[in-house]
């Protein structure tokens, strides 16, 4: 009798922050469990399509089959200025017919579909082709808890969440402070709110839920997700913490000018500044950051993207790195580049962040607190200076500072929603120079150890993924 292994179809949202952990999960299925893996890439527009496919294909080392789905035109369905919180779910709905056609041609037909938040409309295809239906939530357990609980809040809470006097209560979990609300919850009359409520319901249509976190990092939240009296009565699906899944170093950029420069810097002396794959700063914020870095008198590497009117997620709408046609250095304060010679390094290209964070010269990370960046920081023992911008990043920043103790947070003092230069230089020095930085560094190293333990043979995440793989095999 022919013994065949499961064939897993992965369908992440567009955006590197989603595709990267999905690729990592795909590689684990391929290498540890010998599964056949196909990753379907969805693009939000033409400009991001070729670039992200190239990056993901290069990272895959041919372990996973990569299928680029044809772009869908959603211009007639959404307002051109609508937020990413609407564009992503609409795109994921509209991609379903193309995904179905592609699945129908694959031999052998996939036996498991793993999809993302907003991707669960594709479960209709999974049902048609007799596939298991999994959700891989490429973020942490607290955010999963909020997501599945929002449909309940939607019924219980009267009026806008932003007007609530008390933090939002999620059974068994930390409450969400009103000032940290996930963007779609800021306005209940906006379509992105309805889309998020729908996403919370969609996850319940799955057979199992995977989370890119580990049991020991968020024990209370995972317990709540399994407790019938708390959140299991809402989700009703087994939850598997399988993280931290991050992409391994590609080592492809080690020869670049940047790494030559980093090689010359003392250990833990450089602050790495980056806001992930989709975020941009306002021009005013960029100027304050430039001055703050300069005034801190610390070495730094800054990944600069062209500014937008307001800090936020605009780069997602226009392709990853925003407007490339301008000279980025022109947005920086006058004389900045010559004053920072040999102290700072400014780049605008995509460089593998894991390669930077794992360099011994890196001592701290000014980060937007995207979940992948957080995991990569933990795995490299690098403390974070939290600079949350959009989506769930404010929640993450609160968790990183108050619960994990691995970060200090930059505070916005002005009414203009800009973090000032004084605040930036103060917090940078707090981590890099003051004694307080040592305690935080020790704490990140404890988390690093806990992450490594969870992820290696016999660890909680390793075993959870093995159990899941066995159930995929058993269903064949
Ligand atoms: N990344 C990278 N180089 C860059 C920018 C980002 O390698 O110049 C990677 C980073 O390592 C992380 C992902 O892109 O794996 C960004 O994910 P995250 O969740 O931190 O933020 P998002 O981009 O989703 O806001
Ligand atoms: N530099 C930069 N971005 C670049 C290239 C160079 O910020 O893409 C700056 C950086 O401050 C560096 C300086 O230019 O310290 C000189 O760089 P280079 O490696 O050419 O010279 P060296 O470090 O050997 O003096």
């Amino acid at each position: 009798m022919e013994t065949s292994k499961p064939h897993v179809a992965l369908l992440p949202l567009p955006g590197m922050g989603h595709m990267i952990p999905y690729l990592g999960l795909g590689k684990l299925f391929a290498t540890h469990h010998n599964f056949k893996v196909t990753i379907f890439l969805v693009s939000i527009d033409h400009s991001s399509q070729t670039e992200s496919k190239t990056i993901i294909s290069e990272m895959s080392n041919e372990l996973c089959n990569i299928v680029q789905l044809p772009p869908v035109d959603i211009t007639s369905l959404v307002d051109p200025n609508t937020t990413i919180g609407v564009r992503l779910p609409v795109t994921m709905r509209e991609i379903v017919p193309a995904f179905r056609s592609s699945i129908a041609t694959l031999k052998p037909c996939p036996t498991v579909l793993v999809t993302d938040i907003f991707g669960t409309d594709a479960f209709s295809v999974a049902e048609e082709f007799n596939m298991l239906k999994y959700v891989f939530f490429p973020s942490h357990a607290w955010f999963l808890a909020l997501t599945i609980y929002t449909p309940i809040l939607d019924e219980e809470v009267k009026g806008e969440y932003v007007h609530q006097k008390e933090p939002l209560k999620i059974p068994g979990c930390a409450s969400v402070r009103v000032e940290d609300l996930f963007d779609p919850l800021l306005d209940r009359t906006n379509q992105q709110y309805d889309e998020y409520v729908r996403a919370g319901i969609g996850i319940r249509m799955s057979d199992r839920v995977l989370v890119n976190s580990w049991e020991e990092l968020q024990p209370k939240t995972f317990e709540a997700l399994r407790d019938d009296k708390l959140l299991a009565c809402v989700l009703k699906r087994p939850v598997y913490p399988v993280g931290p899944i991050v992409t391994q170093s590609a080592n492809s950029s080690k020869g670049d000018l940047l790494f030559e420069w980093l090689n010359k810097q003392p250990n833990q002396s450089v602050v790495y500044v980056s806001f992930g794959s989709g975020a941009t700063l306002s021009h005013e914020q960029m100027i304050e950051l430039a001055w703050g870095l300069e005034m801190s008198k610390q070495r730094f590497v800054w990944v600069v993207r062209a500014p937008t009117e307001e800090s936020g997620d605009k780069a997602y709408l226009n392709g990853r790195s925003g407007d490339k046609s301008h000279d980025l250095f022109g947005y920086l304060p006058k004389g900045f580049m010559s004053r920072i010679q040999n102290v700072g390094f400014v780049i605008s290209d995509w460089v593998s962040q894991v390669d930077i964070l794992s360099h011994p010269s890196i001592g701290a990370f000014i980060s937007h607190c995207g979940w992948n960046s957080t995991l990569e920081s933990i795995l490299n023992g690098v403390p974070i200076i939290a600079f949350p911008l959009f989506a769930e990043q404010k929640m993450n920043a609160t968790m990183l500072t108050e619960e994990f103790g691995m970060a200090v947070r930059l505070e916005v003092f002005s009414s203009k929603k800009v973090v000032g230069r004084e605040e930036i230089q103060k917090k940078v020095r707090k981590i890099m120079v003051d004694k307080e930085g040592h305690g935080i560094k020790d704490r990140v190293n404890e988390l690093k150890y806990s992450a490594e333990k969870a992820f290696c043979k016999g660890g909680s995440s390793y075993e959870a993924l093995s159990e899941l793989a066995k159930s995929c095999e058993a269903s064949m």
Side-chain angles (χ1 to χ4, degrees):
M1 200 179 86
E2 193 193 26
T3 52
S4 54
K5 283 283 186 179
H7 178 186
V8 184
L10 299 175
L11 180 66
L13 292 193
M16 294 306 290
H18 291 259
M19 292 190 275
I20 287 175
Y22 268 76
L23 177 64
L25 179 69
K27 282 181 165 184
L28 284 176
F29 278 134
T31 53
H32 285 198
H33 303 286
N34 225 1
F35 288 7
K36 184 174 162 58
V37 177
T38 304
I39 306 184
F40 293 86
L41 299 184
V42 181
S43 52
I44 195 104
D45 60 20
H46 284 278
S47 63
S48 60
Q49 188 181 359
T50 336
E51 192 177 40
S52 49
K53 183 171 184 212
T54 311
I55 297 172
I56 290 293
S57 298
E58 274 171 12
M59 286 176 174
S60 105
N61 302 335
E62 295 175 359
L63 284 169
C64 307
N65 177 27
I66 311 278
V67 174
Q68 174 75 60
L69 294 171
V72 286
D73 184 5
I74 60 163
T75 44
S76 63
L77 301 171
V78 297
D79 182 287
N81 295 318
T82 195
T83 53
I84 194 71
V86 173
R87 291 174 66 99
L88 284 176
V90 172
T91 302
M92 292 308 282
R93 269 203 291 284
E94 294 302 307
I95 202 73
V96 172
F99 176 65
R100 191 206 167 276
S101 307
S102 188
I103 288 284
T105 62
L106 282 188
K107 300 253 168 353
C109 182
T111 41
V112 186
L113 168 62
V114 187
T115 192
D116 212 333
I117 180 174
F118 300 134
T120 54
D121 281 290
F123 283 160
S124 60
V125 180
E127 278 165 9
E128 184 186 340
F129 290 89
N130 276 322
M131 296 156 74
L132 295 172
K133 299 173 291 181
Y134 293 174
V135 163
F136 174 39
F137 195 80
S139 188
H140 55 86
W142 188 34
F143 186 29
L144 171 65
L146 173 67
T147 305
I148 58 152
Y149 200 65
T150 297
I152 312 275
L153 291 172
D154 184 51
E155 286 166 19
E156 285 178 354
V157 177
K158 302 277 167 275
E160 287 289 352
Y161 301 109
V162 279
H163 297 146
Q164 300 303 308
K165 301 254 175 331
E166 298 290 324
L168 292 188
K169 290 204 171 53
I170 313 171
C173 304
S175 302
V176 181
R177 305 190 316 180
V178 171
E179 55 272 40
D180 289 345
L181 281 178
F182 179 43
D183 285 354
L185 300 183
L186 294 173
D187 176 4
R188 289 176 79 167
T189 66
N190 190 301
Q191 188 185 340
Q192 65 173 350
Y193 174 72
D194 299 328
E195 298 287 359
Y196 184 57
V197 173
R198 205 170 167 269
I201 297 167
I203 294 175
R204 301 184 203 158
M205 305 301 149
S206 67
D207 300 314
R208 289 161 209 268
V209 181
L210 290 69
V211 189
N212 198 9
S213 180
W214 64 102
E215 198 77 44
E216 294 76 14
L217 184 71
Q218 304 185 279
K220 208 177 126 204
T221 311
F222 280 115
E223 223 175 277
L225 286 162
R226 293 195 187 101
D227 188 334
D228 261 334
K229 291 192 206 63
L230 299 170
L231 291 173
C233 55
V234 179
L235 183 57
K236 298 195 181 100
R237 299 290 176 266
V239 175
Y240 293 74
V242 295
I245 296 177
V246 299
T247 291
Q248 303 304 308
S249 155
N251 276 333
S252 54
S253 42
K254 292 283 188 207
D256 286 353
L257 269 184
L258 167 64
F259 289 93
E260 276 172 34
W261 184 80
L262 285 175
N263 288 341
K264 289 187 239 163
Q265 312 309 317
N267 271 1
Q268 296 180 25
S269 69
V270 179
V271 182
Y272 168 55
V273 188
S274 173
F275 301 95
S277 61
T280 48
L281 300 180
S282 66
H283 190 200
E284 189 182 2
Q285 183 62 81
M286 226 169 135
I287 300 276
E288 290 305 307
L289 179 55
W291 278 112
L293 289 170
E294 196 181 333
M295 283 155 54
S296 77
K297 300 199 164 46
Q298 301 301 301
R299 296 178 176 84
F300 64 87
V301 169
W302 181 7
V303 183
V304 176
R305 311 265 186 246
T308 44
E309 223 163 277
E310 273 182 69
S311 299
D313 60 11
K314 292 291 185 295
Y316 258 118
L317 307 180
N318 306 316
R320 180 185 52 77
S321 21
D323 179 2
K324 279 190 178 165
S325 59
H326 288 80
D327 174 10
L328 285 173
F329 296 153
Y331 292 112
L332 297 165
K334 207 162 178 288
F336 179 75
M337 288 306 290
S338 55
R339 288 196 302 276
I340 60 142
Q341 281 273 340
N342 303 319
V343 180
F345 204 102
V346 179
I347 46 169
S348 59
D349 295 330
W350 178 271
V351 179
S352 161
Q353 174 165 294
V354 175
D355 285 343
I356 299 178
L357 282 171
S358 61
H359 196 279
S361 66
I362 300 297
F365 180 10
I366 298 189
S367 171
H368 70 319
C369 305
W371 188 240
N372 297 291
S373 293
T374 302
L375 294 178
E376 289 159 7
S377 217
I378 293 176
L379 286 171
N380 290 292
V382 178
I384 283 184
I385 300 167
F387 200 143
L389 295 168
F390 66 97
E392 86 298 359
Q393 294 156 13
K394 292 190 182 112
M395 271 175 82
N396 296 358
T398 297
M399 185 169 72
L400 263 52
T401 42
E402 290 175 20
E403 203 175 314
F404 300 169
M406 59 172 285
V408 291
R409 185 177 183 154
L410 291 165
E411 301 297 340
V412 180
F413 293 120
S414 67
S415 55
K416 291 189 206 151
K417 296 199 211 150
V418 171
V419 182
R421 59 189 77 177
E422 284 294 343
E423 168 70 359
I424 293 166
Q425 74 107 6
K426 195 174 103 196
K427 295 281 164 69
V428 166
R429 292 190 66 83
K430 193 165 172 176
I431 290 279
M432 297 294 284
V433 186
D434 301 347
K435 289 240 161 37
E436 202 164 329
H438 299 300
I440 293 178
K441 174 90 188 153
D442 291 346
R443 183 66 195 130
V444 189
N445 282 329
E446 281 170 31
L447 295 175
K448 172 181 153 84
Y449 175 72
S450 152
E452 286 166 351
K453 202 166 155 211
F455 207 66
C456 62
K457 201 161 189 224
S460 53
S461 290
Y462 185 99
E463 294 306 318
L465 191 66
S466 300
E467 195 188 316
L468 188 92
K470 273 195 205 116
S471 63
C472 292
E473 288 178 4
S475 75
M476 288 196 53

